[in-house]
Amino acid sequence: MAATPGGFSGKVLRVDLSTGKISTEDTVEKYGDVLGGTGLGYRVLWEEVPPGVGSFDPANKLVFATGVLAGTGVPCNGRTAVTTIFPTCWPRQLVGSGHMGGQFAAKLKYAGFDAIIVEGRSERPVWLFIRDARVELRSAAHLWGTGIRRASLEISQEMGADCVVAAIGQAGEQLAPMAIVANSLSHSAGGVGGVMGSKNLKAIGVQGSGAVKIAGDKGEWEKLIKFHLSILGGNNQHVVPSFPTPQSEYYNPGSRWVGEPGRRWGAAEPPVEITGNIFDLNRIAYRTNSAAFFLGEGAWRHTVRGNGCTACPIRCHTVVKVPSVAAKYGIREVAQNTCTGLLFGRSFFKRLPGGMQGQAALEACMVGMHLADDLGVWCNYGQLQRDLQKLYYDGLLKTKLGAAEYASIPWDKYEAGDPAFLFDILPRIGERRGELGQVLSQGTGGLFTHWSIPEETWARDHNTLYWKQGHPKHHANEDDGQCGVIINTQYNRDSQCHSHSNFVRNGLPLAVQKKLAAEVWGSPDAVDGVGNYTPMNVHKARRARWSLVRKELHDSLGLCNWMGPWVASPLKERGYRGDDSLESRFYSLATGQKLDREALDRAGERIFTLHRALTLRGMGEVDLRAQHDLTPHWVFADPSGAAPFSKGAIRMDEADISRGMDQFYEVMGWDRATGAPTMETYARLGLKDVGADLKARKLVPGDPA
Amino acid sequence: MNAAESAGPTAALTEATTAALTEATTAALTEAAIEAVRAASREGRLATLAEVLAALAAGGHFGPPEGQAEGQPDGQAGNQPEGQAMGQPADHAGPAQAGEEAAAPLASDTASMLPGIPPEVLAGILAAQPDLASFQSLSGQTVYHAPDLLSRTYARILDRKGSPLVLLAEEIRANSRDYPRPVPVELFEAPPFGLTPEEIGHVLQALAADPAHQDITFTTTPAGAVYLFSTRHLERGYAAFLAQRAESLSMNP
């Protein structure tokens, strides 16, 4: 791939913490074929981190990589992938990525860098100062021991207000596998904070005064951005509002597009009332209110505004103000986050006074954000909280934990649903205090090992939502039948894929979804009604493949796979079609290198296959089908004994899923028996060298073991 | 292309009127009629033929109407309550006829309003507009709207607001049929439905007692939330599953 005049900033920054050496290399020349983001991270790990290196080994590398479209005007472009040997992957640490939004990606590119490769280990705590081409390692002695907020503030004061800081808290410093790095205070990448801590890297502060150049015609560029805005829905590309409105034929009470005219951001000063046409492109930011969606009607009066990432009009990080928590708990009355971050505190509790959308739930969310976003504790997509519930309510903790420590924990508050319980449990985890803090900070796999709990105990219990390798399901059969199951088998952590779930949850009637499915994936049978699943077919396999490829594409372009892809839209005049070629059109205009949809998808497939190759090499096992692509038992069971494919059952049929894996491997060009890519597939994707390396290791199908 | 589209507005005019109108006048009339419907849609209202005629008269297209019937609109359309079309009685009688787009018989007083402009001529003009839609309201009159400003779904809701029983039954059926899903009972408390819990309760009791609405029923989630659905389109077990799923969405980020 030749150097291009646009999109890429052009340089990758390499920082060796062991030697203090700082260098740069050309992005396009070395990494152009994998675009950036996870693609760049996988490539670095493939070339530079030998199999068997542990997460906290100095030989492990940590790659902060944005993408071609980050820092441009493309909507939803604020993503940074943080790729490394993932510490919570169990029982063997393998490749994985955390993903953060915020303003870090754009600032890094404005400073002239597409990515930062962090390697080695500093002898003393440091933070990385980046002001355009000026890059320095500075002492973090005064920051060590502080939370993310304090560290970010101190560095901001040192650098200036226009910087962005990505920092770890005490959890990362303590090498907790369950640690985050967060930029812009609430935008976190899970699971990688401990790797930063292991390298004695407290934070990265970035200031950039440059810009991202666009190679193509500026008029075309702006026209395409306007078009993209026109096909946006609300949060997670829910293209149907949650309420009937004159502007829309459809509505869906379950939609995350909750911003209805007449609603008020009641805690704004002065309060803001949502007015006007909700389809107006200048009013997109009013559509989403994560707090109201997750916490109910009452959250509107606590809403200050929506916050979010660079160039993203969705604003999914809702800023909420709850004055009562300042007096009651002595914490800040303002907090912001979305999804599991927003619900961090609430999710610990099985029961809360007033229910899961009541005042106690709101306060638990505020306390949770206050603590977790400062200590830098990761929730592993809610698995941390479910683990504690399982341990406690199944009586495991009482038998596993020393009596004195058990007695020291205010379980009465836990059972009563008192948010004050979080002031005990979260610092234990973040600071790794006591046996419970140590264990929970390791993640689910860590607790299996530490307490000799068979993985089966979790994998057979639907309530745990545990999937495999220490991680939970992430939009699996409950949302999307076989497609969701296949996607959840593929990664070394929770799949974090939204390509499929954003489509099935978009709110359009099933007939419209099926019409779009026929156009995009070749058959209306590529999509089922939720809980009305039909046996596996090849169109579902193609959709699973498309979903995964688009996820990697987004992660590598700097786009948000929580918001995209955009194959459906709110536009009746388009028959509710979005645009399946949006990414390639943006890529072509940004870089000046024309790639059609198929060609760019091939890059996404290359990146996904690189992840597969890293997994093969890391496991030293060719039979990923049997050893890696696993589905937990609970997926095949129904509490009421309902048969597979009966209406209202989400349970899957084991033989059908096996057929599904056959079909998925086939559409991927992987060996059906082992689920490993063939030499032909590596060659087709420009990964001959990768295939050759794996062949030498006897990790290509057909080789004698 | 349907017959009306192929014929075009001019062909819809009667011979006598065509002779009386120039092409320019016809174009202006058509434009003004469309705008009258769009104006009503913009304000969240359905337009009757009488309202459109009145708007044309108010716009000076054919001079002031002579002998305007008592109680007929005078162009001040904004005074009507939301959801009630001009000239439409507040209490609807008779069931909705789902899916109809045909014109209903014109009211005699409408016909006498502007003797120089036969209402059927105007109806023909409006029917020929691809960007406008019409349906027979619960009152029996044909009502018009611009779907890009006032969607078909919303238009039906507005039309049925005067008859909460029909409103709930048809909305529940449509949700069960199209998406498919049961709907939370609280849906009908929020705009544009705007019913009180007491009103909803009364409607549900009436539906339960009405042989024509025996398909309308409910399921209660383990957390106690009530979801309404139609057994014509959703099996009970599946509706219960979908209700639980809907309730769980805010716990499944």
Side-chain angles (χ1 to χ4, degrees):
Chain A
M1 199 173 281
T4 57
F8 294 99
S9 286
K11 295 287 177 196
V12 170
L13 182 65
R14 188 180 287 269
V15 179
D16 187 333
L17 293 169
S18 298
T19 64
K21 184 184 172 191
I22 292 167
S23 59
T24 63
E25 50 206 77
D26 187 278
T27 310
V28 178
E29 187 182 307
K30 192 155 186 191
Y31 304 108
D33 66 331
V34 288
L35 306 176
T38 51
L40 196 152
Y42 299 155
R43 174 62 59 78
V44 169
L45 260 60
W46 177 261
E47 293 180 345
E48 302 179 21
V49 179
V53 167
S55 300
F56 299 149
D57 190 319
N60 184 21
K61 302 200 177 184
L62 188 62
V63 185
F64 292 79
T66 71
V68 179
L69 300 178
T72 68
V74 176
C76 315
N77 78 44
R79 306 301 293 183
T80 303
V82 189
T83 305
T84 191
I85 300 299
F86 212 71
T88 52
C89 180
W90 177 89
R92 186 185 287 105
Q93 290 168 335
L94 299 166
V95 61
S97 295
H99 302 265
M100 59 185 184
Q103 325 305 325
F104 186 86
K107 283 288 182 188
L108 188 64
K109 288 190 71 175
Y110 300 159
F113 302 110
D114 295 297
I116 309 168
I117 302 169
V118 180
E119 54 193 25
R121 181 180 186 274
S122 172
E123 283 184 11
R124 285 174 290 277
V126 292
W127 67 278
L128 182 62
F129 170 101
I130 302 172
R131 179 176 289 158
D132 294 325
R134 183 178 160 198
V135 181
E136 299 166 8
L137 285 168
R138 294 188 173 184
S139 171
H142 62 302
L143 302 172
W144 208 253
T146 66
I148 289 173
R149 272 193 287 275
R150 179 65 179 265
S152 298
L153 179 67
E154 294 263 351
I155 292 172
S156 296
Q157 286 175 336
E158 189 171 333
M159 291 188 80
D162 61 339
C163 72
V164 169
V165 180
I168 59 171
Q170 293 90 336
E173 292 176 7
Q174 296 290 324
L175 313 194
M178 292 284 284
I180 60 168
V181 56
N183 81 84
S184 315
L185 299 178
S186 63
H187 296 270
S188 60
V192 298
V195 181
M196 276 181 80
S198 74
K199 295 183 179 305
N200 268 327
L201 179 63
K202 176 70 179 179
I204 302 172
V206 190
Q207 274 170 325
S209 60
V212 178
K213 293 187 178 122
I214 303 303
D217 180 81
K218 305 299 181 286
E220 286 297 308
W221 177 256
E222 289 193 10
K223 198 170 144 192
L224 189 57
I225 287 173
K226 283 270 166 58
F227 168 71
H228 190 186
L229 290 171
S230 78
I231 63 171
L232 288 183
N235 198 13
N236 294 97
Q237 190 58 0
H238 288 191
V239 299
V240 171
S242 66
F243 45 88
T245 170
Q247 288 84 26
S248 177
E249 289 296 347
Y250 303 123
Y251 65 94
N252 174 20
S255 171
R256 296 187 184 186
W257 179 341
V258 296
E260 183 176 9
R263 294 286 192 185
R264 283 160 60 90
W265 292 353
E269 292 179 5
V272 173
E273 180 166 331
I274 300 176
T275 58
N277 182 353
I278 52 167
F279 278 71
D280 188 309
L281 300 193
N282 289 322
R283 310 188 87 71
I284 295 172
Y286 288 118
R287 296 176 186 169
T288 295
N289 183 330
S290 297
F293 177 79
F294 290 110
L295 293 168
E297 296 279 313
W300 281 104
R301 68 188 164 93
H302 295 292
T303 300
V304 179
R305 64 186 171 94
N307 206 346
C309 308
T310 312
C312 182
I314 300 297
R315 320 314 285 168
C316 70
H317 278 228
T318 306
V319 183
V320 285
K321 183 177 181 181
V322 184
S324 63
V325 299
K328 198 166 178 182
Y329 304 105
I331 64 171
R332 288 157 46 90
E333 61 184 20
V334 177
Q336 62 177 42
N337 216 310
T338 188
C339 296
T340 52
L342 173 69
L343 306 176
F344 204 113
R346 183 184 83 172
S347 304
F348 274 98
F349 298 98
K350 210 168 195 172
R351 288 175 289 272
L352 282 157
M356 288 300 172
Q357 296 192 333
Q359 179 65 22
L362 178 64
E363 291 179 7
C365 289
M366 294 298 289
V367 176
M369 286 187 277
H370 173 81
L371 292 168
D373 292 350
D374 198 40
L375 290 161
V377 176
W378 186 40
C379 73
N380 189 12
Y381 195 56
Q383 193 63 46
L384 170 69
Q385 294 92 330
R386 288 189 295 273
D387 286 349
L388 182 65
Q389 285 190 15
K390 172 100 176 142
L391 288 167
Y392 178 75
Y393 287 105
D394 283 9
L396 291 164
L397 267 191
K398 207 163 195 171
T399 61
K400 302 287 184 186
L401 206 57
E405 185 172 342
Y406 187 87
S408 74
I409 299 167
W411 298 115
D412 53 336
K413 288 181 179 166
Y414 185 47
E415 292 212 23
D418 182 347
F421 171 75
L422 300 171
F423 287 100
D424 182 277
I425 194 71
L426 273 165
R428 280 181 198 265
I429 301 166
E431 293 163 5
R432 311 195 79 185
R433 282 197 273 111
E435 188 179 5
L436 183 60
Q438 278 287 338
V439 170
L440 291 179
S441 70
Q442 290 177 41
T444 312
L447 78 85
F448 293 158
T449 302
H450 182 85
W451 281 327
S452 303
I453 296 173
E455 187 184 21
E456 290 277 294
T457 314
W458 259 237
R460 287 192 181 278
D461 183 352
H462 192 159
N463 292 325
T464 66
L465 303 183
Y466 177 80
W467 200 272
K468 67 182 178 95
Q469 291 178 283
H471 295 274
K473 66 98 193 163
H474 201 136
H475 302 305
N477 52 318
E478 89 286 6
D479 269 328
D480 201 6
Q482 298 98 333
C483 199
V485 170
I486 292 168
I487 287 165
N488 273 267
T489 63
Q490 291 301 295
Y491 286 93
N492 301 315
R493 54 164 297 180
D494 61 304
S495 65
Q496 300 184 101
C497 181
H498 299 84
S499 312
H500 60 313
S501 55
N502 285 357
F503 184 81
V504 296
R505 284 190 181 194
N506 65 23
L508 291 168
L510 184 58
V512 180
Q513 290 185 335
K514 281 184 168 287
K515 184 190 74 177
L516 298 180
E519 293 174 3
V520 180
W521 302 294
S523 168
D525 297 335
V527 177
D528 288 328
V530 65
N532 187 14
Y533 300 133
T534 60
M536 184 65 190
N537 62 56
V538 72
H539 309 292
K540 293 182 190 178
R542 288 196 189 113
R543 192 158 71 83
R545 174 185 184 277
W546 174 91
S547 299
L548 289 158
V549 166
R550 285 302 165 102
K551 172 197 152 35
E552 289 296 344
L553 204 50
H554 291 166
D555 291 345
S556 299
L557 291 170
L559 294 181
C560 181
N561 188 256
W562 278 252
M563 296 305 137
W566 296 271
V567 290
S569 80
L571 301 182
K572 179 184 169 188
E573 61 269 30
R574 289 181 59 82
Y576 304 98
R577 288 175 191 86
D579 189 330
D580 195 26
S581 62
L582 201 57
E583 295 89 341
S584 59
R585 293 164 71 192
F586 274 127
Y587 177 89
S588 299
L589 279 170
T591 63
Q593 185 200 10
K594 197 160 174 53
L595 286 187
D596 61 16
R597 185 189 63 197
E598 290 76 14
L600 193 63
D601 275 354
R602 201 154 42 247
E605 188 183 355
R606 180 181 304 127
I607 294 162
F608 182 52
T609 305
L610 206 44
H611 178 275
R612 191 72 167 172
L614 277 161
T615 302
L616 280 159
R617 194 179 70 176
M619 290 182 70
E621 167 66 63
V622 71
D623 191 0
L624 294 195
R625 178 171 191 144
Q627 303 298 325
H628 179 274
D629 298 349
L630 305 174
T631 302
H633 303 288
W634 61 259
V635 171
F636 302 120
D638 184 280
S640 62
F645 311 122
S646 55
K647 272 191 170 182
I650 60 165
R651 65 158 292 191
M652 297 278 106
D653 177 75
E654 208 155 354
D656 179 73
I657 289 296
S658 181
R659 274 192 301 280
M661 296 307 292
D662 286 345
Q663 290 170 337
F664 173 68
Y665 294 145
E666 244 168 56
V667 298
M668 290 304 303
W670 297 355
D671 174 50
R672 274 174 59 159
T674 61
T678 63
M679 284 303 285
E680 291 73 25
T681 295
Y682 289 122
R684 177 172 62 80
L685 297 172
L687 297 172
K688 257 186 181 169
D689 56 330
V690 172
D693 180 291
L694 290 171
K695 193 169 177 59
R697 298 172 189 270
K698 301 190 187 312
L699 293 173
V700 171
D703 287 339
Chain B
M1 187 178 284
N2 62 34
E5 285 172 330
S6 63
T10 304
L13 298 175
T14 65
E15 198 177 324
T17 308
T18 305
L21 296 174
T22 64
E23 198 172 318
T25 311
T26 304
L29 173 74
T30 303
E31 193 180 328
I34 292 171
E35 181 47 35
V37 174
R38 292 185 65 79
S41 292
R42 224 174 270 121
E43 292 167 11
R45 293 181 296 103
L46 300 166
T48 62
L49 205 57
E51 182 183 351
V52 178
L53 282 166
L56 294 177
H61 288 278
F62 295 98
E66 291 174 12
Q68 184 171 302
E70 193 180 341
Q72 283 297 313
D74 59 4
Q76 303 302 310
N79 292 333
Q80 292 292 317
E82 188 195 0
Q84 188 177 328
M86 285 281 191
Q88 179 181 316
D91 294 320
H92 301 296
Q97 295 171 26
E100 83 281 21
E101 295 292 334
L106 292 162
S108 59
D109 55 351
T110 303
S112 66
M113 237 176 66
L114 291 170
I117 312 166
E120 61 269 25
V121 171
L122 183 59
I125 290 173
L126 292 174
Q129 303 310 312
D131 294 334
L132 300 184
S134 65
F135 63 92
Q136 190 174 333
S137 76
L138 288 182
S139 70
Q141 292 189 85
T142 299
V143 287
Y144 298 89
H145 64 106
D148 64 320
L149 298 170
L150 184 62
S151 68
R152 286 179 166 81
T153 303
Y154 204 84
R156 293 286 184 183
I157 294 172
L158 293 183
D159 183 48
R160 292 167 181 152
K161 280 191 76 171
S163 177
L165 186 140
V166 177
L167 177 67
L168 260 70
E170 293 307 322
E171 204 58 25
I172 291 164
R173 285 172 178 159
N175 273 274
S176 293
R177 180 186 65 228
D178 297 338
Y179 290 94
R181 63 173 176 235
V183 291
V185 68
E186 294 82 9
L187 172 72
F188 297 108
E189 292 179 36
F193 305 103
L195 298 172
T196 65
E198 292 74 24
E199 287 170 328
I200 295 169
H202 289 143
V203 170
L204 293 177
Q205 284 174 3
L207 287 168
D210 182 354
H213 291 102
Q214 290 305 294
D215 61 307
I216 306 297
T217 186
F218 67 95
T219 181
T220 306
T221 67
V226 174
Y227 283 74
L228 304 164
F229 67 100
S230 163
T231 54
R232 280 188 199 170
H233 308 291
L234 277 179
E235 297 92 333
R236 178 164 291 281
Y238 190 41
F241 162 79
L242 290 172
Q244 278 194 56
R245 171 184 158 75
E247 201 176 48
S248 72
L249 287 174
S250 67
M251 302 295 288
N252 185 4

